[in-house]
Amino acid sequence: PAPAIPEGSANAGGGAAARGGDGGGAGGRDAGGKNGAGPSGVGEGRPSDATCGVGNSNSNGKASLPIRREKDFVDTFFSNSRLHFIGSWKANIDGVMSAALALNKSPQPLPATECKVRQIIHVDIDCFFASVATIVNPALEGKPVAVCHSDHSNGTAEISSANYEARKFGIKAGMFMSKAKELCPQLVRVPYYFEKYQEISRALYRILLRFSAQVQPISVDEAFVDVSGLGDSMAICQEVRACFAKETGITVSAGASHNMLLARIATKRAKPNGAFLVPSDAAEAFIGELPVGEIPGVGYKFSKRLAEMHIHKCSDVWRHTRDHLQQSLGAKTGELIWEYAHGRDKRQVEAVRKRHSVGAEINWGIRFTTNDEAVKTLSRLSEEVEKRLRQNGKKGRCIAVKVKQRKANAPEPRKFMGHGWCENLSRSLTLACPTLAREVIAKEAVSLLLSLR
């Protein structure tokens, strides 16, 4: 018998997937970290992670049914989900990059052993989703625009992108549309244009590969490029920006320095629609004046702890030893903050890496009232995993299931049909032989689900 799913016990999320290995696969995760879906992957060889899931949920103590039944809901979700798009972008970009690199026409930067100072560029498209909407509808130029799936003034739909005109009113990504409408009644809500996003993103990466073979994708609209020994960094930044604007009609900002940390911070200084250089001989003075909160990885929690240590600017860190920061913040975090506050970053720009997993995940909009609904949806997700495996020409041996279960006494989720406060549960197993058959994936995934009783 299936495990009992108590009424009102859990918020939705989860999936079915296979894990692969060195053979690669479509990689990714739920990039938003909230409500949505994103692929992970499968490949042949040694086991490596991949997920896809099913969950159950309720609100106010009573479980609600999915918006649509299993197949329709899953199909609709994957065709309309912003976070699914973000989670799956890498599979598409990797294809573009692999094809370009196969032509062997992209210039190779000098290896680290042959140049004293690296030349790293970071690029980021300005207000990507909102900018695309303006290209689709030029009449929006100059108007406050926000990208969101709903325009309901009293709803909890989250804004994913806002242009600079909208930001002047305090509107930002992650804000509920209802709040945004209060701040700016004339705000124009636009839908998602996923196919156009892919087109513009591919254009960005094709342009970057003209300047260097060493391009590291960060997101659909963001990347690092190693141009060491290939010319003047700022000249390359400006040429990339000009090419991109000419080809797409959209602006991109760029930052340059001798490491990835400072290049990324330089891009923030360049926005919107600009370029900024942090010279290696001026890096210490530049970063010393930065608020410590601008260091990647320093969020609200660590900013508060650092403030208690009277550390507000990066230069304040210099008064402390590495050991002291590690003792106060933990070995890994203390090391990272100490290095970054001194403008140091040993990371290297890495080009396309093999993907190791393929999967499918949904953690929004699912509310199960029976075990049968959970099993059917998990089976439907297994079909999605098979489709993605076939698209990537891969098989997998390790199958994993993730489930989100509502925490005891969790409050009503702020976002409509969101998963809210949940415990993350998971199970996995390794098959004797690699597979891509939905029947096999579904059978083992359901077995793993039932083992979570």
Side-chain angles (χ1 to χ4, degrees):
I5 300 178
E7 184 177 352
S9 66
N11 283 334
R19 297 183 184 179
D22 295 329
R29 64 180 177 85
D30 180 0
K34 294 183 180 179
N35 305 316
S40 28
V42 167
E44 296 185 22
R46 62 176 176 79
S48 66
D49 289 339
T51 67
C52 135
V54 136
N56 51 68
S57 172
N58 96 340
S59 312
N60 297 326
K62 293 185 179 180
S64 304
L65 295 178
I67 295 174
R68 297 185 179 178
R69 286 299 176 180
E70 295 82 18
K71 192 176 192 315
D72 287 344
F73 174 76
V74 173
D75 287 343
T76 300
F77 180 88
F78 286 127
S79 64
N80 291 282
S81 169
R82 166 179 61 97
L83 294 180
H84 165 59
F85 166 76
I86 294 173
S88 60
W89 71 271
K90 194 172 186 301
N92 296 287
I93 295 304
D94 282 357
V96 172
M97 294 184 63
S98 296
L101 293 173
L103 298 175
N104 201 30
K105 293 184 178 180
S106 300
Q108 290 287 346
L110 289 176
T113 55
E114 296 183 22
C115 60
K116 293 182 179 179
V117 180
R118 308 297 297 165
Q119 293 172 268
I120 308 299
I121 288 173
H122 174 259
V123 297
D124 190 2
I125 301 175
D126 298 320
C127 308
F128 182 41
F129 286 4
S131 295
V132 170
T134 304
I135 293 300
V136 173
N137 183 5
L140 296 175
E141 186 70 40
K143 297 180 180 179
V145 172
V147 181
C148 187
H149 71 83
S150 172
D151 197 26
H152 199 293
S153 59
N154 296 320
T156 58
E158 291 181 358
I159 290 172
S160 63
S161 178
N163 64 3
Y164 286 102
E165 286 79 7
R167 294 182 189 186
K168 293 175 183 178
F169 293 88
I171 297 169
K172 56 186 178 181
M175 179 179 288
F176 288 162
M177 178 57 75
S178 55
K179 176 63 175 178
K181 285 285 190 178
E182 291 178 7
L183 295 174
C184 179
Q186 67 270 36
L187 180 68
V188 179
R189 195 279 308 183
V190 295
Y192 294 101
Y193 298 101
F194 295 121
E195 291 186 4
K196 193 67 175 178
Y197 301 155
Q198 289 285 13
E199 175 189 330
I200 300 298
S201 181
R202 286 193 292 266
L204 174 66
Y205 282 96
R206 282 196 299 266
I207 290 170
L208 295 178
L209 287 166
R210 297 177 198 168
F211 296 89
S212 175
Q214 207 69 11
V215 176
Q216 180 175 331
I218 301 300
S219 182
V220 65
D221 59 346
E222 179 185 4
F224 283 103
V225 190
D226 189 338
V227 294
S228 300
L230 299 177
D232 180 75
S233 297
M234 281 300 285
I236 294 174
C237 282
Q238 298 293 15
E239 195 169 351
V240 166
R241 294 180 60 247
C243 289
F244 185 72
K246 181 179 180 180
E247 187 168 329
T248 68
I250 293 175
T251 63
V252 61
S253 295
S257 193
H258 62 284
N259 64 38
M260 295 172 71
L261 167 71
L262 292 173
R264 193 167 196 168
I265 293 175
T267 303
K268 293 181 179 179
R269 292 290 182 273
K271 284 185 171 292
N273 189 23
F276 190 89
L277 170 70
V278 180
S280 58
D281 57 0
E284 186 174 272
F286 171 78
I287 201 163
E289 293 302 311
L290 288 181
V292 72
E294 290 201 30
I295 293 178
V298 178
Y300 174 79
K301 175 183 175 182
F302 283 114
S303 291
K304 186 176 180 180
R305 292 184 64 181
L306 289 168
E308 292 172 352
M309 299 168 64
H310 305 289
I311 296 176
H312 304 282
K313 298 190 300 183
C314 287
S315 57
D316 295 332
V317 175
W318 304 348
R319 302 195 306 266
H320 299 261
T321 66
R322 187 198 311 260
D323 289 342
H324 181 224
L325 282 185
Q326 289 180 313
Q327 291 170 6
S328 302
L329 306 173
K332 186 176 180 179
T333 301
E335 167 83 12
L336 186 69
I337 292 177
W338 196 86
E339 289 285 335
Y340 280 3
H342 287 79
R344 301 169 187 168
D345 186 0
K346 298 177 181 178
R347 294 176 298 164
Q348 300 294 316
V349 175
E350 300 180 355
V352 177
R353 292 179 290 181
K354 290 182 179 180
R355 299 187 301 270
H356 297 296
S357 59
V358 171
E361 181 173 326
I362 297 178
N363 54 25
W364 176 88
I366 297 180
R367 300 290 191 273
F368 296 130
T369 56
T370 67
N371 294 337
D372 185 56
E373 288 174 355
V375 170
K376 286 181 178 179
T377 302
L378 186 55
S379 297
R380 176 63 190 92
L381 283 172
S382 298
E383 295 179 26
E384 184 68 25
V385 172
E386 181 194 50
K387 181 179 76 174
R388 298 180 188 183
L389 284 169
R390 291 189 183 280
Q391 289 173 344
N392 287 276
K394 303 297 179 184
K395 296 182 179 180
R397 291 184 58 221
C398 189
I399 297 177
V401 170
K402 288 197 310 186
V403 174
K404 288 186 177 294
Q405 185 174 32
R406 182 176 181 268
K407 286 186 176 181
N409 301 317
E412 176 74 9
R414 291 183 63 206
K415 183 177 178 64
F416 174 68
M417 295 296 281
H419 62 66
W421 295 2
C422 292
E423 298 286 353
N424 294 312
L425 310 175
S426 63
R427 292 287 188 276
S428 64
L429 58 82
T430 301
L431 303 174
C433 301
T435 186
L436 53 66
R438 71 184 70 181
E439 296 83 3
V440 176
I441 297 172
K443 176 185 175 183
E444 301 300 342
V446 169
S447 175
L448 289 170
L449 174 67
L450 301 185
S451 72
L452 289 168
R453 65 170 62 223

